[in-house]
Amino acid sequence: MKKMPHIARNPAEAREFLSLHVRTRSSVGLVPTMGFLHEGHLSLVRRAKEENDICVVSIFVNPLQFAPAEDLAAYPRDMERDLELLSAEDVHLVYSPSPGAMYLPDRSTLITENSLSRCLCGAARPGHFDGVCTVVLKLFSVIAPDRAYFGEKDYQQLQVIKRMARDLDLPVEITGCPIIRERDGLALSSRNIYLGEKERAEALVLSRSLDAAEELVRGGETDVTRILDVVRDVISACPSVALEYAEIRGADDLAPLDIMNKRAVCALAARVGRARLIDNRVLERRD
Ligand code: AMP
């Protein structure tokens, strides 16, 4: 019989649980999430379980990373179902603070990463990565994980967190995990719940456009403009998918690229109905 995870609702409760359960040489793995869990999240949880003695999952819809016009209030939540899923994975601790337990009304400290977070989603969502970095640093401070697990689905977020951990000498290993997709290619996302049946079918052009980019690179294409033209063509075949950006950048530094002369990432964001979806593919030349 799997046990319900312990639930901590504020930093003191989380620290108390960890002080009782973490022994001198045991390791702690943390999976930060905003809940409404799916197989993508669970793949991170399984990896954290495999590699650590104690597995902590945080569930917190972080107001700081949503702009006023964004979907904070509508963001899907289902704590009961999340806890069932995490109990089946034998997670030890769920850290799920209320917004009030996370942020004091007169808080005045924000963590800013000033380079990698400027482009792509950072350009489209000003302040978003300040919110992400601040909440992740606070989670690290309370849980003190040895390892933390992030999905490559949020590729830029993973790079920004790696940079923050490096720059601030945080004693945590940041592990990126592969994107989990539906059979037909759609990347799993809590926001897919916003999609109607027709929109869901249309959203497939995103992963298809990335397939096309991958295929071109495999075939030896090195001209970034030509690859992006094809990506945009595939997406524009579906007029209800409103592309926000399609870019190819260096896979580690997110610097702009003209020629595929190093490992790169093709990153997309698009609106499909009410949903803002992102997807990406790491592109590597064969030779
Ligand atoms: P979220 O709850 O959307 O903030 O996501 C929490 C973590 O799960 C982040 O590190 C995401 O990158 C990761 N994640 C979300 N969707 C997927 C997916 N389809 N595959 C792998 N990881 C994912």
Side-chain angles (χ1 to χ4, degrees):
M1 257 292 274
K2 307 272 183 185
K3 236 175 71 196
M4 266 309 245
H6 183 83
I7 303 171
R9 298 282 182 192
N10 56 50
E13 287 178 12
R15 287 197 168 109
E16 190 191 350
F17 176 90
L18 292 167
S19 73
L20 292 174
H21 291 86
V22 178
R23 294 177 204 291
T24 317
R25 274 202 296 262
S26 53
S27 57
V28 176
L30 170 66
V31 180
T33 81
M34 299 206 298
F36 208 67
L37 303 179
H38 51 63
E39 279 296 316
H41 297 113
L42 297 180
S43 71
L44 272 51
V45 171
R46 287 173 196 139
R47 178 94 182 260
K49 282 278 301 182
E50 259 167 47
E51 296 182 353
N52 300 278
D53 303 309
I54 302 276
C55 175
V56 182
V57 176
S58 63
I59 298 181
F60 180 65
V61 183
N62 177 29
L64 224 54
Q65 69 190 68
F66 289 77
E70 291 179 353
D71 59 340
L72 173 64
Y75 195 84
R77 295 159 167 90
D78 190 344
M79 189 52 124
E80 206 173 309
R81 185 171 160 274
D82 288 351
L83 290 175
E84 268 167 32
L85 290 170
L86 295 178
S87 147
E89 300 298 331
D90 244 342
V91 163
H92 301 96
L93 173 66
V94 172
Y95 179 42
S96 184
S98 63
M102 182 63 92
Y103 297 119
L104 293 172
D106 64 346
R107 68 184 168 73
S108 52
T109 306
L110 208 57
I111 305 299
T112 300
E113 189 286 326
N114 261 317
S115 171
L116 305 176
S117 64
R118 290 287 171 239
C119 58
L120 304 173
C121 283
R125 305 177 72 188
H128 170 70
F129 286 112
D130 293 353
V132 169
C133 286
T134 303
V135 82
V136 169
L137 186 62
K138 282 170 70 74
L139 293 170
F140 287 176
S141 160
V142 170
I143 307 298
D146 297 278
R147 301 184 187 86
Y149 298 82
F150 294 85
E152 287 173 2
K153 161 78 175 18
D154 298 86
Y155 191 86
Q156 185 179 17
Q157 169 174 279
L158 171 63
Q159 303 311 320
V160 168
I161 299 291
K162 278 186 178 165
R163 177 64 62 91
M164 173 181 80
R166 186 202 75 175
D167 286 355
L168 301 181
D169 303 308
L170 303 180
V172 55
E173 188 182 308
I174 307 297
T175 300
C177 302
I179 303 178
I180 305 297
R181 298 177 180 279
E182 306 273 12
R183 261 171 201 279
D184 58 10
L186 184 68
L188 295 189
S189 162
S190 306
R191 288 188 168 100
N192 290 349
I193 191 89
Y194 297 148
L195 300 171
E197 206 178 315
K198 190 159 163 275
E199 291 165 344
R200 193 204 167 286
E202 289 165 346
L204 289 179
V205 288
L206 299 181
S207 61
R208 291 209 185 112
S209 74
L210 296 170
D211 294 341
E214 192 170 27
E215 198 63 21
L216 282 173
V217 173
R218 285 219 182 114
E221 180 60 80
T222 56
D223 186 324
V224 164
T225 308
R226 278 211 286 267
I227 301 167
L228 287 176
D229 282 346
V230 171
V231 166
R232 292 192 185 105
D233 276 355
V234 173
I235 295 173
S236 65
C238 209
S240 49
V241 175
L243 188 63
E244 193 176 275
Y245 66 73
E247 293 192 39
I248 292 179
R249 288 176 172 261
D252 299 315
D253 57 8
L254 302 185
L257 276 187
D258 295 323
I259 294 289
M260 293 284 300
N261 53 6
K262 59 178 180 182
R263 219 166 69 92
V265 61
C266 181
L268 313 170
R271 294 205 177 261
V272 188
R274 292 167 55 212
R276 180 181 184 277
L277 303 180
I278 56 172
D279 201 350
N280 70 80
R281 185 81 45 90
V282 172
L283 301 172
E284 272 175 288
R285 285 176 54 188
R286 251 202 211 131
D287 49 49

